[in-house]
Amino acid sequence: MPLAHGVGARHDLPLPPFYAYAGAFAALFVSFLSLGLLWSASRFRGDLAGRPLPGAVQRLADAPATRTALRSLGAAAGLALVLYLLLGPDDPDRNPAPGAVYVLFWVGLVPASVLLGPVWRLLNPLRTLSALLPARSAPRPLPSRLGIRPAAAGLLLFTWLELVAPDNVTAPVLLAALAVHTAVGLLGAARYGPAWFDHADPFEAYSSLLARLSPLGRRADGRLVVRSPFDSLDATPPTPGLVATVSVLLGSTAYDGFSDSPRWITTLQTSSLGRTATATLGLLAAVLLVAALYTLCTGVLRLFDRALDAPLTSFAHSLLPIALGYLVAHYFSLFVIESPRTVMMALGTDNAPAPALPLGPGGLATLQVVAIVTGHVLGVVAAHDRSVRLFPPERSVACGLPLFALMIAYTLGGIGLLIA
């Protein structure tokens, strides 16, 4: 059976809709009002901020032996996944490979990146493999306008595999997806060098963006530091494709929650286009809706200040806390239940039982709503700090209104998916 996802139905989330909506609106309104009254100058310093870690820690983190060990760990995990897919039973209840891909890897990268930084860049087995292959010619430079758009496209394809593709937990489908991902990564690296992974590897982009909320980071001088996640967030490069990537994260998570609703299930079962085509259109519509709302918001900002440079990417970093809140709300129960079960299967336990969820329905509902609201409040703070930096003081609050309206829309939509 396909892996169950994290958001339950209404009977699993016994939270009165009025209180959920009212509490979320009140939290955002109070945050916006307080920031407007008390926060008149930018306080975040981006990649200039941070307290350096002890020299011994810095040397250990940068040591070639440490990098080699992490590369070896990633390569061993990748090899184990391939062997389980090739030699293990084609049954997700007995083979840990589907859980390793969709839970330990996809969902597990969230806490790993937030706590430790962009870990997938160090573990990525394709980087290791490409470094071992002979180089045929000098790598070509990547076009600057490309940004991380290829990574956004790769993330969209992976979320399609996770949420839409038929038989997506079977060995043939996972092997085919892994082969395509490997071929694209190695061919791109052969042509453009390691920079290809920085711009085109979807999981490196995923991990690196979530790591913008980590207390660990590197300053502009390369020192490993502890700093406020807001400073790390403020240092997010305004690269082309940033909005597309975050829109995929938000839109795909929203679609995953909506796909469990009885109305959408009925639509899939009765659509003349077929289940897969209809689900694909639904996923694309969710991603495009998120992107369209943000684009509309930045278009209104441009009306406030015609001289605003790159409005699309100027505030895109403020969507990252929202994406994290959605991911926590949506995947918490999936990770807590399925990750131990996957590990037990990998250790040889046949038909490993799923552990009990540590939270009851009420606790889970509270956690999900708090995660979504907290993500949006953090987004409001990040957007306001950028607003007072870019706009004159007398206009910064007014210019923040479109972003505030966007946060309200995203919040109400996210809570609606939990209780619908």
Side-chain angles (χ1 to χ4, degrees):
M1 293 179 62
L3 296 171
H5 284 189
V7 173
R10 178 186 293 274
H11 64 274
D12 294 319
L13 300 173
L15 194 66
F18 173 79
Y19 293 111
Y21 287 128
F25 179 83
L28 289 174
F29 180 77
V30 170
S31 300
F32 181 77
L33 184 63
S34 301
L35 291 168
L37 293 174
L38 304 174
W39 197 305
S40 58
S42 177
R43 303 183 183 184
F44 303 144
R45 299 175 55 227
D47 59 8
L48 298 177
R51 177 174 297 179
L53 290 174
V57 176
Q58 177 87 31
R59 289 190 295 272
L60 177 63
D62 292 337
T66 302
R67 302 302 176 97
T68 300
L70 291 174
R71 296 284 187 217
S72 300
L73 178 62
L79 178 60
L81 174 65
V82 173
L83 291 177
Y84 274 118
L85 288 172
L86 291 174
L87 305 178
D90 194 11
D91 179 357
D93 290 325
R94 299 171 57 217
N95 192 324
V101 172
Y102 296 121
V103 182
L104 294 181
F105 173 60
W106 176 243
V107 183
L109 267 182
V110 177
S113 301
V114 171
L115 293 175
L116 302 174
V119 292
W120 189 242
R121 193 177 192 281
L122 300 174
L123 295 169
N124 191 348
L126 294 187
R127 276 190 182 267
T128 304
L129 186 56
S130 68
L132 297 176
L133 296 177
R136 295 185 177 181
S137 60
R140 300 183 182 182
L142 276 163
S144 59
R145 65 180 181 279
L146 196 64
I148 57 172
R149 290 190 178 104
L155 277 176
L156 182 60
L157 289 173
F158 179 82
T159 56
W160 179 86
L161 174 70
E162 180 201 12
L163 304 175
V164 175
D167 303 319
N168 61 350
V169 295
T170 61
V173 172
L174 286 173
L175 281 170
L178 184 60
V180 171
H181 176 62
T182 301
V184 171
L186 294 181
L187 290 173
R191 183 178 180 87
Y192 296 107
W196 172 257
F197 296 107
D198 296 327
H199 295 80
D201 188 286
F203 307 112
E204 285 202 11
Y206 175 59
S207 176
S208 297
L209 289 177
L210 291 174
R212 289 294 169 183
L213 294 160
S214 174
L216 296 176
R218 290 189 182 271
R219 285 192 320 210
D221 60 4
R223 289 297 302 271
L224 193 62
V225 297
V226 176
R227 62 189 177 193
S228 164
F230 281 116
D231 286 312
S232 297
L233 194 62
D234 187 65
T236 305
T239 182
L242 176 60
V243 175
T245 305
V246 180
S247 296
V248 170
L249 292 178
L250 285 170
S252 61
T253 308
Y255 173 78
D256 198 356
F258 179 70
S259 65
D260 289 332
S261 68
R263 182 180 302 176
W264 182 248
I265 292 173
T266 301
T267 299
L268 293 178
Q269 292 173 342
T270 58
S271 173
S272 59
L273 296 175
R275 187 183 188 93
T276 301
T278 304
T280 300
L281 292 175
L283 174 61
L284 291 174
V287 173
L288 291 174
L289 177 61
V290 169
L293 288 175
Y294 177 75
T295 302
L296 177 63
C297 172
T298 56
V300 174
L301 283 176
R302 195 64 178 265
L303 296 178
F304 283 100
D305 188 349
R306 296 285 184 179
L308 179 62
D309 186 37
L312 268 178
T313 53
S314 295
F315 293 90
H317 69 295
S318 65
L319 300 182
L320 291 175
I322 301 173
L324 177 61
Y326 276 36
L327 290 167
V328 171
H330 189 75
Y331 287 116
F332 172 79
S333 59
L334 173 70
F335 187 71
V336 170
I337 292 174
E338 292 293 342
S339 57
R341 183 168 174 267
T342 299
V343 172
M344 286 188 288
M345 279 193 286
L347 295 176
T349 303
D350 199 16
N351 290 314
L357 191 66
L359 297 176
L364 177 61
T366 302
L367 172 68
Q368 292 176 315
V369 172
V370 168
I372 288 178
V373 174
T374 300
H376 284 81
V377 170
L378 297 179
V380 168
V381 174
H384 179 78
D385 187 86
R386 184 62 57 86
S387 180
V388 297
R389 181 185 304 171
L390 296 179
F391 300 111
E394 66 274 9
R395 286 195 294 161
S396 59
V397 175
C399 291
L401 286 173
L403 292 165
F404 176 65
L406 178 70
M407 301 297 179
I408 291 290
Y410 282 168
T411 303
L412 298 184
I415 293 177
L417 292 174
L418 294 178
I419 61 180

